[in-house]
């Protein structure tokens, strides 16, 4: 046999082997029908006559999560409930009662207007414009809530503090101020001791203002790449920075609050604070319902407690793309067994991912829709028209407010419907 003939045979053999390897690398079919938990949840929604996109809250899981969060803290630090992450008055009341706290963190004027009642202790989680503060005082009328004792406005710069000072003077108000400090997130806030002292001087010179505490948020600690030692170094830096600010404020005449509020952490990081530093409270909200962005090692013992439920409107025998490119859909289904069936659902395009039945996914070929989202699957899900698909939200803030009243699931039934707060930034 000639050399060129042997070369062609080797080339063909290599090409055949490569094609076989590519073919064997095709994604294998995956998926399964709802497990017992989601079958029961689907049955509860049907019994309640719910047939539109709905946010479902598992009250038993919620309560278990709240108990675990308070168990983690073990009384070493106080708990402040984050309203934007649990934007529902009944849900907030449940959390406050089980956790034994009156403390809340708020992030918008509408939330403040809704929650400034009774005996709550409120800390703003971001600095609001002075005009928003003025709007609050103009409409505020709850005789049982005393803003000068129960409300801490957040000041992040000398300029913001000056605006609040002028507001207090012009409206004859007494205002408590918590100072936002930068502990490494670099999202604003006081970055150095000199600025802190300048702001404390401003408070000391104005009898209508009173310093109340510090707030140092450390979300970066859980989100930076998990390279060896990087997260622990970031945590150490955050705590050392906080301690330096706390020491400086205690040494200033304006920083002598009887019970200062030294707020720190959030759902991803609250377990990293053992209560041995100046920080005396943590802010937690999302961990109590655990959307998927909070699937973190520190929260492994918490359970997902909220889901988006929506009906299947169309269950197609095969996944098809529109006219003119049908061949591409057939090619996709031939290559990937998980793109062989198509399901159009009621609504879609949420900040959420399919959770049950398993093996469903959005189609990158078809695109997204907020009207009738297409999901593709292998068919092993055994979905039919009017069955329910459950999504797991990636976050709780904003998402919990997109569906009207929350359907409360407990004991195998939908037992209540909870109003949500207005959707705001």
């Amino acid at each position: 046999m000639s050399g060129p003939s042997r070369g062609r045979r080797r080339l063909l053999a290599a090409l055949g082997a490569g094609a076989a390897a590519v073919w064997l690398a095709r994604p294998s079919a995956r998926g399964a029908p709802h497990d017992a938990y989601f079958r029961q949840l689907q049955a509860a929604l049907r019994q309640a006559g719910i047939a539109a996109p709905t946010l479902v809250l598992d009250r038993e899981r919620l309560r278990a999560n709240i108990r675990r969060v308070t168990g983690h803290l073990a009384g070493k630090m106080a708990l402040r409930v984050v309203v934007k992450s649990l934007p529902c008055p009944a849900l907030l009341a449940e959390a406050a009662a089980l956790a034994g706290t009156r403390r809340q963190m708020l992030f918008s004027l509408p939330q403040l207007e809704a929650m400034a009642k009774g005996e709550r202790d409120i800390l703003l989680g971001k600095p609001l414009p002075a005009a928003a503060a003025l709007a609050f005082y103009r409409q505020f009328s709850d005789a049982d809530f005393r803003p000068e004792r129960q409300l801490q406005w957040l000041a992040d710069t000398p300029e913001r503090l000056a605006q609040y000072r002028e507001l207090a003077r012009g409206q004859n108000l007494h205002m408590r101020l918590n100072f936002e400090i930068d502990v490494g997130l670099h999202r604003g806030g006081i970055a150095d001791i000199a600025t802190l002292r300048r702001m404390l001087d401003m408070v000391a010179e104005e009898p209508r203002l009173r310093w109340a505490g510090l707030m140092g948020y450390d979300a970066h600690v859980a989100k930076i790449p998990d390279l060896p030692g990087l997260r622990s170094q970031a945590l150490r830096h955050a705590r050392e920075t906080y301690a330096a600010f706390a020491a400086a404020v205690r040494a200033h005449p304006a920083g002598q609050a009887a019970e200062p509020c030294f707020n720190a952490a959030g759902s991803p990081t609250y377990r990293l604070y053992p209560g041995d530093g100046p920080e005396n409270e943590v802010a937690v909200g999302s961990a109590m319902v655990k959307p998927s962005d909070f699937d973190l090692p520190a929260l492994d013992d918490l359970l997902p407690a909220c889901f988006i439920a929506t009906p299947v409107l169309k269950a197609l025998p095969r996944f098809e793309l529109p006219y003119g490119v049908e061949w591409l859909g057939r090619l996709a289904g031939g290559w990937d067994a998980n793109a062989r069936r198509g399901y159009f659902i009621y609504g879609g395009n949420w900040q959420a991912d399919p959770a049950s039945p398993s093996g469903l996914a959005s189609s990158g070929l078809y695109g997204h829709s907020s009207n009738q989202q297409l999901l593709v699957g292998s068919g092993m899900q055994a979905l039919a028209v009017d069955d329910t698909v459950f999504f797991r939200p990636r976050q709780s803030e904003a998402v919990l407010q997109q569906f009207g009243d929350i359907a409360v699931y407990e004991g195998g039934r939908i037992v209540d419907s909870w109003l949500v707060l207005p959707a705001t930034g």
Side-chain angles (χ1 to χ4, degrees):
M1 183 179 294
S2 66
S5 296
R6 286 196 298 271
R8 283 195 294 271
R9 292 185 63 183
R10 291 194 188 101
L11 176 60
L12 291 173
L15 290 173
V22 170
W23 187 255
L24 290 173
R26 290 182 306 155
S28 58
R30 61 182 182 274
H34 290 309
D35 62 18
Y37 176 82
F38 286 105
R39 284 199 305 271
Q40 190 174 43
L41 191 52
Q42 176 177 254
L45 290 166
R46 285 177 174 171
Q47 184 181 28
I50 296 174
T54 303
L55 197 291
V56 184
L57 176 70
D58 187 321
R59 193 176 189 180
E60 293 169 344
R61 289 188 174 192
L62 168 71
R63 288 173 167 173
N65 288 345
I66 295 171
R67 292 189 183 100
R68 289 190 179 102
V69 169
T70 55
H72 296 155
L73 296 175
K76 297 176 183 177
M77 302 181 74
L79 173 64
R80 189 173 292 274
V81 178
V82 179
V83 172
K84 71 178 175 63
S85 302
L86 307 173
C88 165
L91 174 52
L92 290 165
E94 189 102 333
L98 286 174
T101 183
R102 298 183 296 109
R103 306 184 191 209
Q104 291 184 339
M105 179 176 281
L106 305 179
F107 289 81
S108 71
L109 175 60
Q111 287 180 359
L112 180 57
E113 291 171 341
M115 305 309 293
K117 299 176 181 178
E119 298 182 356
R120 296 184 177 115
D121 178 301
I122 294 176
L123 168 64
L124 271 297
K126 67 184 178 187
L128 297 186
L134 175 60
F136 166 74
Y137 284 111
R138 281 180 170 170
Q139 65 79 41
F140 174 74
S141 62
D142 193 302
D144 295 327
F145 185 86
R146 302 290 298 275
E148 67 275 14
R149 291 191 292 105
Q150 296 171 249
L151 174 60
Q152 300 176 59
W153 297 97
L154 193 68
D156 58 332
T157 63
E159 292 75 19
R160 181 86 62 191
L161 181 57
Q163 291 176 351
Y164 285 155
R165 180 187 61 196
E166 297 311 307
L167 173 63
R169 289 173 176 174
Q171 301 297 314
N172 193 26
L173 300 169
H174 287 84
M175 300 176 68
R176 298 170 73 218
L177 283 306
N178 190 296
F179 290 174
E180 180 180 9
I181 58 175
D182 181 6
V183 296
L185 181 60
H186 299 332
R187 194 177 65 180
I190 303 169
D192 57 77
I193 299 297
T195 302
L196 174 73
R197 288 175 178 149
R198 178 184 168 195
M199 292 173 67
L200 288 168
D201 288 343
M202 293 171 66
V203 170
E205 294 165 1
E206 176 51 67
R208 291 176 178 83
L209 302 182
R210 183 157 61 94
W211 175 83
L214 300 176
M215 192 276 282
Y217 189 40
D218 63 354
H220 63 291
V221 172
K223 293 183 178 180
I224 59 177
D226 193 17
L227 300 174
L230 192 56
R231 289 183 181 174
S232 60
Q233 181 180 349
L235 176 64
R236 184 169 60 254
H237 173 268
R239 299 204 64 197
E240 289 174 351
T241 302
Y242 205 121
F245 276 112
V249 79
R250 283 169 170 154
H252 194 283
Q256 304 304 310
E259 297 181 2
C261 168
F262 287 140
N263 179 272
S267 285
T269 57
Y270 77 93
R271 295 190 69 180
L272 303 178
Y273 289 77
D276 60 354
E279 309 92 349
N280 56 21
E281 70 166 35
V282 293
V284 179
S286 296
M288 297 177 182
V289 291
K290 199 181 181 184
S292 62
D293 281 355
F294 295 82
D295 285 343
L296 303 168
L299 305 179
D300 273 350
D301 58 343
L302 304 180
L303 293 171
C306 61
F307 301 95
I308 299 166
T310 192
V312 174
L313 298 181
K314 303 164 186 175
L316 306 182
R318 63 182 179 277
F319 165 54
E320 287 189 297
L321 286 174
Y323 175 80
V325 288
E326 295 105 323
W327 63 270
L328 186 56
R330 290 192 293 270
L331 183 64
W335 165 253
D336 185 355
N338 301 292
R340 289 177 181 168
R341 298 289 303 272
Y343 307 96
F344 286 92
I345 60 171
Y346 192 154
N349 201 23
W350 304 297
Q351 292 189 65
D353 301 294
S356 186
S358 65
L360 295 177
S362 298
S363 169
L365 294 174
Y366 203 94
H368 297 285
S369 170
S370 299
N371 175 41
Q372 295 184 68
Q373 179 79 38
L374 172 70
L375 300 177
V376 294
S378 64
M380 297 168 68
Q381 294 81 9
L383 274 176
V385 170
D386 295 335
D387 284 345
T388 305
V389 173
F390 294 95
F391 286 75
R392 188 173 169 207
R394 299 183 197 121
Q395 62 181 49
S396 57
E397 58 189 82
V399 178
L400 267 64
Q401 297 162 286
Q402 288 183 256
F403 303 91
D405 296 357
I406 293 174
V408 182
Y409 175 69
E410 184 178 14
R413 299 184 302 114
I414 302 299
V415 298
D416 209 342
S417 180
W418 286 354
L419 293 170
V420 296
L421 293 172
T424 60

